[in-house]
Amino acid sequence: MASGTFLGIMWLEILLASVLAFVVYWFVSRDKEETLPLEDGWWGPGARPTAPEDESIRPFKVETSDEEIKDLHRRIDGTRLTPPLEDSRFHYGFNSNYLKKILSYWRNEFDWRKQVEMLNRYPHFKTRIEGLDIHFVHVKPPQLPPGRTPKPLLMVHGWPGSFYEFYKIIPLLTDPANHGLSEEHVFEVICPSIPGYAFSEAASKKGLNSVATARIFYKLMLRLGFREFYIQGGDWGALICTHMAQMVPSHVKGLHLNMAFILNGRILTLFLVRHCPRLFGFTQRDMELMLPFKEKIFYKPLRESGYMHIQSTKPDTVGCALNDSPAGLAAYILEKFSTWTDSEFQELEDGGLERKFSLDDLLTNVMLYWTTGTITSSQRFYKENRGQLFKQDRVKVSVPTGLAAFPCELMHIPERWVKGKYPRLVSYSYMPRGGHFAALEEPELLARDIRKFVGLLELP
């Protein structure tokens, strides 16, 4: 009797959840747009000039000075830290005992001048688009096989990353023969900085969101002479690239992601998946990456999203503190490089940071925020995009798409969910290891998946 009652309740739960999922899906997907409108904007100070915008592309070089380094050292020397609770590890945020080691290395061993030389290893440029100076790195192949032309590839970073995330993957894409890869696919890589990040000028006006950024980067590619190109991104880069595909699908040959924003009520199917996963197209690997649901689908996102609420509401307030304190900025940024690389790293006294990254790499990324004073403007991107995710999610992506699903990403998105928004999904890969900052953490894995995806689209 008890068994029969349980089965009855289970099937009633399945029926009700199915009806609810269908209603939500119908509501959000009806009257869907085919493409996003290609509009225009002006984000510089004051009114838009009547004269045509200067479309020249200017070489740019990263520089530093003795004064910049002395100021940094002075501020580090004046740092005040609060001792951590006993045995708290990274459960309360960045452990201040380990932060002492970071600050000591930053102050006494980290060579910013050497890192500046390394940053200038690739060609940098700036060009003015919609009133803003847009910075980008543009790397062409050092050599090409006879009769071959490089494939243009735009790669877009997220927060709290930067264009520097791609420095280890660039040679694998532009010079594969010298890095153990075949010359079948050779790329010409363009890595822009999102407006308000690093060397890209911040908007003077409200409203510069991921859609506007997608349009700016599309104009950048046209200005560089590319009518058709590939695009790739994770974090904000995934959303910006998705918008480009939604906006100008005829210009995007293929979209490759290592993160996907999937909404539209699909979370409701989780109530049913636990009973019959195969019915809903979930694989055994999907279940391994999503179970237990309570922890990985609800508690983990809740635990890791506090920063998002702050930056989506009052970014300038916390920005004042972070822009004034190198120690605070490092803790705020590097905490994400710990828990977003592997959530289990919160169990470690050092946050596991040096298991995946070098201190030089981590501090170089922090310095790109510190020396440019762009932490506040980078955080404003969250406020400008508040509400945009749901608004654009109903527009399906019509271009060929590939997704590399890294197991330690903030949330696993099954292939079935991805296909709902990206119906031309031609490649979906369960990656063997890696987390949120894939290009910096696992450059070879990501490069190989990009090459596999492009290979599927360019079969002889």
Side-chain angles (χ1 to χ4, degrees):
M1 186 69 174
S3 177
T5 302
F6 171 77
L7 289 173
I9 293 173
M10 183 188 77
W11 284 110
L12 179 61
E13 180 182 328
I14 291 175
L15 176 63
L16 292 175
S18 298
V19 171
L20 183 58
F22 174 78
V23 170
V24 172
Y25 177 77
W26 175 82
F27 181 80
V28 298
S29 62
R30 60 183 179 144
D31 299 325
K32 64 181 183 298
E33 303 173 30
E34 292 185 358
T35 60
L36 294 182
L38 183 61
E39 298 173 338
D40 201 4
W42 175 263
W43 309 104
R48 185 170 196 159
T50 56
E53 192 165 54
D54 178 10
E55 297 187 357
S56 63
I57 296 173
R58 313 180 307 276
F60 171 78
K61 188 175 182 179
V62 183
E63 296 180 336
T64 189
S65 65
D66 291 341
E67 291 73 19
E68 183 176 69
I69 297 173
K70 287 178 181 177
D71 177 67
L72 170 68
H73 289 173
R74 176 183 62 81
R75 291 170 184 265
I76 292 176
D77 290 341
T79 297
R80 297 189 306 170
L81 295 178
T82 302
L85 295 173
E86 295 178 3
D87 197 34
S88 60
R89 290 158 290 183
F90 266 57
H91 285 282
Y92 282 69
F94 207 98
N95 187 290
S96 57
N97 284 339
Y98 181 63
L99 183 57
K100 290 178 183 178
K101 175 183 176 180
I102 297 283
L103 296 177
S104 175
Y105 184 86
W106 199 0
R107 172 65 174 84
N108 302 307
E109 299 178 59
F110 179 74
D111 188 341
W112 177 231
R113 289 186 180 86
K114 179 181 177 182
Q115 296 306 105
V116 165
E117 291 180 8
M118 181 272 301
L119 289 173
N120 286 321
R121 180 176 67 200
Y122 297 133
H124 294 249
F125 302 89
K126 283 189 176 184
T127 188
R128 202 154 187 81
I129 303 176
E130 297 191 7
L132 300 177
D133 262 350
I134 301 300
H135 160 262
F136 61 99
V137 172
H138 186 178
V139 185
K140 299 180 180 181
Q143 57 187 9
L144 280 169
R148 297 282 185 88
T149 57
K151 299 171 175 63
L153 172 64
L154 178 79
M155 304 189 78
V156 185
H157 67 87
W159 186 93
S162 63
F163 67 90
Y164 179 61
E165 286 182 67
F166 302 114
Y167 263 49
K168 295 183 187 302
I169 198 173
I170 285 175
L172 303 178
L173 298 169
T174 59
D175 191 17
N178 285 323
H179 293 84
L181 301 173
S182 76
E183 293 182 310
E184 183 180 5
H185 304 294
V186 182
F187 297 88
E188 181 172 344
V189 178
I190 301 91
C191 301
S193 295
I194 297 172
Y197 287 68
F199 305 113
S200 276
E201 187 177 0
S204 296
K205 297 173 173 58
K206 297 183 291 184
L208 196 152
N209 55 29
S210 54
V211 175
T213 304
R215 182 181 64 242
I216 288 172
F217 289 170
Y218 164 62
K219 291 180 178 181
L220 170 63
M221 294 302 280
L222 292 183
R223 191 168 295 181
L224 292 174
F226 302 119
R227 302 295 299 180
E228 291 185 326
F229 44 85
Y230 290 97
I231 53 180
Q232 199 283 329
D235 197 85
W236 281 129
L239 192 62
I240 292 166
C241 289
T242 292
H243 290 334
M244 290 183 71
Q246 292 168 321
M247 187 181 295
V248 288
S250 62
H251 293 270
V252 178
K253 296 184 68 176
L255 165 67
H256 186 278
L257 307 171
N258 55 279
M259 184 178 183
F261 292 85
I262 306 292
L263 303 170
N264 279 4
R266 294 181 179 92
I267 199 77
L268 294 170
T269 61
L270 292 177
F271 290 105
L272 314 177
V273 167
R274 59 183 174 181
H275 298 302
C276 40
R278 292 185 181 180
L279 180 63
F280 293 90
F282 283 33
T283 67
Q284 180 63 35
R285 183 57 176 156
D286 290 328
M287 301 307 292
E288 292 171 358
L289 293 170
M290 299 176 76
L291 289 173
F293 289 148
K294 187 179 292 186
E295 166 60 25
K296 294 187 178 180
I297 304 301
F298 297 103
Y299 291 159
K300 179 182 175 182
L302 185 64
R303 183 177 63 241
E304 295 298 330
S305 60
Y307 80 99
M308 185 184 299
H309 184 71
I310 293 173
Q311 294 174 190
S312 297
T313 53
K314 304 291 181 66
D316 285 29
T317 302
V318 67
C320 289
L322 300 178
N323 199 47
D324 193 56
S325 167
L329 182 67
Y332 197 76
I333 288 177
L334 297 186
E335 184 244 305
K336 304 308 179 191
F337 278 83
S338 168
T339 53
W340 291 3
T341 298
D342 190 331
S343 61
E344 296 300 318
F345 284 173
Q346 68 180 334
E347 303 290 345
L348 305 175
E349 295 291 343
D350 62 357
L353 281 168
E354 294 177 75
R355 294 190 177 192
K356 294 288 187 174
F357 311 104
S358 71
L359 290 184
D360 280 348
D361 283 338
L362 293 171
L363 289 173
T364 296
N365 183 69
V366 172
M367 285 292 282
L368 289 172
Y369 284 88
W370 176 256
T371 57
T372 59
T374 52
I375 187 61
T376 302
S377 54
S378 75
Q379 293 177 140
R380 288 174 184 162
F381 205 62
Y382 283 79
K383 186 172 180 66
E384 304 299 6
N385 280 289
R386 190 175 62 186
Q388 287 294 319
L389 296 181
F390 289 95
K391 184 177 180 182
Q392 313 301 341
D393 191 53
R394 63 194 179 92
V395 183
K396 293 184 183 294
V397 176
S398 62
V399 307
T401 304
L403 188 135
F406 284 87
C408 293
E409 183 55 271
L410 294 174
M411 182 174 175
H412 175 68
I413 305 298
E415 183 176 358
R416 174 61 64 90
W417 285 1
V418 179
K419 283 184 175 179
K421 181 173 178 177
Y422 303 85
R424 294 186 64 189
L425 185 71
V426 301
S427 173
Y428 182 96
S429 306
Y430 295 103
M431 307 305 286
R433 61 185 180 276
H436 187 72
F437 303 98
L440 186 61
E441 180 191 350
E442 297 289 350
E444 184 171 345
L445 286 181
L446 184 59
R448 288 184 181 277
D449 200 69
I450 293 170
R451 290 166 56 85
K452 181 187 80 172
F453 167 65
V454 172
L456 293 172
L457 300 183
E458 301 200 3
L459 292 172

